[in-house]
Structures are given as structure tokens and as C-alpha cells.
Amino acid sequence: EIVMTQSPAALSVSPGERATLSCRASQSVSSNLAWYQQKPGQAPRLLIYGASTRATGIPARFSGSGSGTEFTLTISSLQSEDFAVYYCQQYNNWLYTFGQGTKLEIE
Amino acid sequence: EVQLVESGGGLVQPGRSLSLSCAASGFTFDDYDMHWVRQPPGKGLEWVSGISWNSDRMGYADSVKGRFTISRDNAKNSLYLQMNSLRAEDTALYYCVKDGPVAGTGDNWGQGILVIVSS
């Protein structure tokens, strides 16, 4: 099983500032990496797939990068609605796994 | 509009069985792989199982392999999860998820159905 490790577990950032979230895979997943956003009481929403492609309707302030084992989600200028939990997920094979999540909090 | 509506959850004793269903609408069901993802209360996401569009491929997390069975009925636009030998650690909100723009991603999620395993 591929283990996905996200860091940090929690991140406090002020609105308007940049947030950088990291995700590491225990072995290479190529670019088969997705990011999701989850707000309290809601189902997750797909943000990024293919490590760097924004899903339909996702604002340009969300960007993804990386390949192999190291990945980054960057939110360029945080809006109030961006404070949530973010998960990475590898889909390199039929044993998909998620990271444990990063909680993005208002500073 | 894509809709995924889960049903069949509830309280069940350890060791017993439960069957979940997901009714899909708003898209061509048999064009897409489908998945179940769960989330224990207050915790993170865990992919449970997936099934290809024509049911010729299925996958399971190690934590449920041999106990859970995924299936689908394309004529009824429905996805199922048969859960046997349930354990306390299976307690979670179970989401039905439609495959996204790339196989293995999830671009549409149901609202989730709660399964509680407790005596």
C-alpha cells in the first residue's frame, strides 16, 4: 500500500496570504495525484488532478505541482471560503490512498 | 445535475452484516467507474472499494478485503456495498463517489450514509 503523508497537520494563515501544503508518497505515483477540499458537514470537492490540472470550476488561485513522490498545493491569495481541510490522494493503481489531511485555519 | 443518494446505513452489532446502496442519476452511469470512500467521525478519508464501469475490475482496501463486496447494476443505475463481519472500526460516514476526469479521482460525491458498528 502506498502511504501518503501530508504536512503540516494544521496551518494558520491570514486572508490574502499564500498557503503551501505538502504531500509525500511512500513510492512514486508519477503524476497520479489529486487534491480535495472538505468543509465541515460537506462532502469533499475535487480541486486538482494529474498533480497540476484544476478541476472544472476551480479558481485559478489554486495550483498544484510535483511528480513522483513530492507534491504541493498552493493557494495564492486566501479567501475566507478557502479555510477547510485539504486531502491529497494517489490513484496510481486500484489501491487508492489518501493523506491524513491538512487543516487550513484563519490566523 | 449529477445526484448520488446513499441508503442502507444504520446501527449494527459487531460481526453482523449490512448492505449499502447508491442511486445515481444525472449522468450515463455505465460510462464511469464508481467508488466507496468512508470517513470515521472526526477523522480523515479512506478509499474502501472501487468497481469498473462494466464490473470486470474491482479493488478493495486491505482493511476490508475479504469482508466487503462491491457490485453495480447498470440497468438500475445503482452501486452497492455488501459489508460482512463488521467491526467497530468500520464505523464511518460512507460516501458513494463517481469517477472523475481521470480514472481514480472523484468528481461527484453523495451526501454520505452513516454506519455505526456497536453492541
Side-chain angles (χ1 to χ4, degrees):
Chain A
E1 175 183 303
I2 299 176
V3 177
M4 308 301 292
T5 303
Q6 292 185 241
S7 61
L11 182 63
S12 294
V13 183
S14 298
E17 294 190 343
R18 174 189 298 254
T20 302
L21 288 65
S22 296
C23 176
R24 173 177 293 177
S26 60
Q27 64 189 78
S28 178
V29 298
S30 187
S31 294
N32 298 316
L33 191 285
W35 289 94
Y36 298 83
Q37 176 194 68
Q38 187 179 32
K39 297 180 181 179
Q42 296 184 16
R45 178 174 70 147
L46 178 66
L47 299 175
I48 300 283
Y49 62 92
S52 61
T53 302
R54 280 188 301 275
T56 302
I58 301 304
R61 64 180 181 273
F62 290 91
S63 63
S65 63
S67 66
T69 62
E70 300 284 344
F71 301 90
T72 300
L73 174 70
T74 301
I75 312 171
S76 59
S77 178
L78 280 162
Q79 308 296 303
S80 57
E81 62 266 29
D82 299 335
F83 293 95
V85 179
Y86 292 83
Y87 296 93
C88 63
Q89 178 223 350
Q90 67 81 19
Y91 51 93
N92 193 53
N93 55 38
W94 269 76
L95 288 175
Y96 308 135
T97 47
F98 289 88
Q100 81 280 14
T102 291
K103 186 174 184 180
L104 185 56
E105 302 171 315
I106 300 176
E107 186 169 48
Chain B
E1 178 193 3
V2 172
Q3 285 200 327
L4 300 166
V5 180
E6 302 94 341
S7 61
L11 175 64
V12 62
Q13 293 179 329
R16 304 298 291 267
S17 299
L18 200 63
S19 181
L20 303 184
S21 299
C22 171
S25 60
F27 64 103
T28 304
F29 185 69
D30 54 11
D31 277 352
Y32 293 91
D33 296 353
M34 296 291 295
H35 307 271
W36 289 99
V37 174
R38 68 184 180 184
Q39 186 169 36
K43 298 191 176 181
L45 302 170
E46 180 187 19
W47 177 82
V48 173
S49 182
I51 186 168
S52 62
W53 64 274
N54 62 355
S55 301
D56 72 345
R57 186 173 186 183
M58 299 162 218
Y60 298 92
D62 289 346
S63 58
V64 306
K65 197 172 295 182
R67 299 188 299 122
F68 289 12
T69 303
I70 192 171
S71 62
R72 65 190 294 163
D73 185 336
N74 288 344
K76 294 183 178 180
N77 288 350
S78 293
L79 177 71
Y80 307 100
L81 186 68
Q82 177 64 40
M83 304 184 292
N84 298 331
S85 303
L86 282 161
R87 306 167 180 168
E89 54 265 35
D90 296 318
T91 294
L93 189 65
Y94 284 73
Y95 291 103
C96 171
V97 183
K98 169 187 165 290
D99 217 31
V102 174
T105 60
D107 67 349
N108 284 275
W109 297 58
Q111 81 285 358
I113 191 78
L114 186 60
V115 173
I116 300 173
V117 183
S118 175
S119 54

